[in-house]
Amino acid sequence: MDVFPTAKHLCSWAGLTPSNDESAGKKKSVRISRAGYYIKPLLVQCATAVVKSAKHSEIRNRYLQLKKRRGHKRAIIAIARMLLTAIYHILKNKEPYNPDLYKKSDVRPENREITVEQAILLAQTQGYRIMTIAT
């Protein structure tokens, strides 16, 4: 795995990263590249199998979240990239797969607090107009 400095380089080599062609504020293409025509179908098949199994619920939950927003095909490509990233770290660090790393990202902290100023700023970014009431 020393050939690839990071997992992103490996994903790009395997053709699992979308292109970013933008000119004059218009996106031209967001398709994945045609590279990796041997490894990409294998990873997509593995991703489909993992999503259907009940053994790895953290991956299935991630797939269902993505499928709601982006659709089945894009969600499967995202899961295939997630699997390739996990494979890269397993081989690079010589560690077993740890599903707890994915479970922690899904859980929100219990004590989420923001200040009044942050709440006002958040409401303004959502498009609300803030009015003060004088008593």
Side-chain angles (χ1 to χ4, degrees):
M1 298 314 293
D2 293 333
V3 175
F4 304 104
T6 63
K8 290 181 181 181
H9 285 86
L10 176 61
C11 291
S12 178
W13 175 81
L16 291 173
T17 55
S19 60
N20 187 13
D21 297 332
E22 187 173 339
S23 178
K26 296 182 180 179
K27 290 191 176 189
K28 293 184 178 178
S29 173
V30 289
R31 294 176 176 235
I32 57 173
S33 68
R34 295 173 59 183
Y37 51 88
Y38 288 118
I39 193 169
K40 193 176 357 180
L42 176 72
L43 287 168
V44 168
Q45 190 174 8
C46 291
T48 306
V50 168
V51 163
K52 290 182 180 179
S53 74
K55 189 172 182 180
H56 298 286
S57 62
E58 67 279 355
I59 296 175
R60 179 168 172 76
N61 292 339
R62 181 74 179 138
Y63 165 76
L64 292 174
Q65 287 175 351
L66 289 169
K67 184 182 172 191
K68 272 193 272 187
R69 288 182 287 132
R70 305 289 288 163
H72 167 74
K73 287 185 177 182
R74 290 180 190 238
I76 285 294
I77 292 294
I79 297 300
R81 182 177 179 175
M82 192 169 103
L83 290 176
L84 187 59
T85 303
I87 290 168
Y88 175 83
H89 289 294
I90 288 169
L91 294 175
K92 183 89 171 173
N93 302 333
K94 297 181 178 87
E95 297 175 345
Y97 173 72
N98 187 5
D100 293 334
L101 297 175
Y102 296 102
K103 289 180 182 176
K104 288 179 184 175
S105 64
D106 293 340
V107 178
R108 292 185 176 164
E110 294 177 9
N111 54 355
R112 294 177 60 187
E113 296 177 353
I114 59 174
T115 63
V116 175
E117 292 82 14
Q118 289 172 337
I120 291 172
L121 185 64
L122 180 64
Q124 287 175 343
T125 58
Q126 296 293 324
Y128 290 99
R129 191 179 60 205
I130 308 299
M131 297 173 36
T132 58
I133 300 174
T135 57

